[in-house]
Amino acid sequence: MQKSGKKQGLAEMAYDEIKELIVSNQLTPGQFITETEMQERLDMGRTPVRDAMRELERDQLLVIHPRRGAEVSSVAPRKIRELFEARMLIEPAILKAEMENLDMDRLREMQQLFSRHIDKDSPDLDDEILELADIDNEFHRMITDLCDNSYIDRLIDSLFDFQRMIRIIVSHNVDRFNASNIEHVKLIDAILDGDNEKAAKLLAEHLSNSLDATLQNFLVTQL
């Protein structure tokens, strides 16, 4: 955000707080909010809240309707597809170019965590999925953080914010949970072996499989 001084700080605070309400599903897709409502909720003035909401519209988390307020962006099949298509273009390319700069010790730790959750018959699947989601996010952000480009950084931040919304809204499937963990283990194997081509290919396949499963589970959630 391109303001200065105290106004910049307040606008950034408002942006962060409203974004957290959106991506954590406290403000739900399709819900309308107003500047006045957000001012009261955040205990902030009109200007930082307005600036934050405009910024959130640029990040496609809000749709502003003049004289009506702002609508929390919906989760739809097209948006899910666009999210994963963007990730499939960006992440494998970064991994292929910068793979040797990853923290290999941390990757080995992650691989063990993914391995422990393969074919595990657990009554607490939802808890396990949430636990592994943090590791999954860390793994993918390790890759994207290798790219030192502020424009790509902003795009990736937006993609992962929307990904977090999807994870909360879309139902989970034990078969995909196991398959995803297996894919991560094989992908990390390729990285540890130093095979850039294979690792990039496996990452693209993993994201493609995740897209198919997410679309399928989203449709189930809507029934």
Side-chain angles (χ1 to χ4, degrees):
M1 303 180 74
Q2 301 301 314
K3 295 183 180 297
S4 61
K6 185 176 180 180
K7 286 186 177 180
Q8 179 186 17
L10 289 174
E12 289 177 347
M13 287 174 60
Y15 172 89
D16 288 342
E17 292 189 34
I18 298 172
K19 183 175 78 170
E20 178 61 24
L21 292 172
I22 294 171
V23 299
S24 65
N25 208 35
Q26 295 179 65
L27 296 175
T28 58
Q31 180 177 343
F32 269 81
I33 60 175
T34 65
E35 289 181 14
T36 301
E37 177 187 351
M38 288 297 101
Q39 290 171 46
E40 293 175 354
R41 187 161 185 166
L42 304 180
D43 193 23
M44 289 188 183
R46 179 181 183 184
T47 298
V49 168
R50 172 172 289 184
D51 289 346
M53 291 173 70
R54 287 174 176 168
E55 193 77 6
L56 288 162
E57 182 179 43
R58 283 191 284 271
D59 288 343
Q60 299 187 50
L61 292 174
L62 287 179
V63 179
I64 295 177
H65 300 275
R67 295 180 296 279
R68 292 178 59 199
E71 180 184 1
V72 178
S73 293
S74 61
V75 175
R78 178 179 175 179
K79 286 192 174 183
I80 293 172
R81 184 174 296 280
E82 289 175 347
L83 162 71
F84 279 97
E85 286 175 347
R87 292 184 62 189
M88 281 186 272
L89 289 171
I90 295 170
E91 291 184 40
I94 295 174
L95 179 62
K96 184 176 179 181
E98 302 288 343
M99 193 176 77
E100 63 273 11
N101 295 317
L102 287 167
D103 183 342
M104 300 300 169
D105 289 335
R106 179 56 182 154
L107 283 175
R108 291 185 184 93
E109 294 172 355
M110 290 180 175
Q111 189 179 49
Q112 291 178 2
L113 291 169
F114 286 122
S115 295
R116 285 205 295 266
H117 288 81
I118 293 173
D119 295 328
K120 186 176 177 183
D121 185 14
S122 171
D124 300 317
L125 177 63
D126 288 342
D127 292 338
E128 289 189 23
I129 288 174
L130 290 174
E131 177 187 349
L132 265 292
D134 290 337
I135 304 300
D136 180 273
N137 284 338
E138 181 185 352
F139 172 74
H140 288 278
R141 288 313 297 253
M142 279 180 67
I143 294 171
T144 57
D145 284 348
L146 295 173
C147 182
D148 186 18
N149 183 302
S150 60
Y151 294 100
I152 294 178
D153 284 345
R154 173 155 183 169
L155 173 59
I156 289 169
D157 284 342
S158 177
L159 293 174
F160 275 82
D161 286 337
F162 191 60
Q163 181 83 52
R164 186 177 166 197
M165 287 177 63
I166 292 172
R167 275 207 174 103
I168 293 172
I169 294 168
V170 174
S171 65
H172 305 302
N173 178 282
V174 65
D175 292 332
R176 178 56 198 157
F177 179 62
N178 285 325
S180 178
N181 291 331
I182 292 170
E183 289 164 12
H184 280 102
V185 169
K186 291 180 177 179
L187 173 52
I188 294 173
D189 268 338
I191 295 172
L192 295 175
D193 288 342
D195 192 334
N196 299 56
E197 293 283 350
K198 182 178 180 181
K201 180 175 180 292
L202 288 173
L203 177 54
E205 290 174 355
H206 165 67
L207 292 170
S208 178
N209 292 338
S210 295
L211 165 61
D212 292 342
T214 302
L215 285 172
Q216 181 179 354
N217 292 340
F218 175 76
L219 294 176
V220 170
T221 302
Q222 302 310 299
L223 295 177

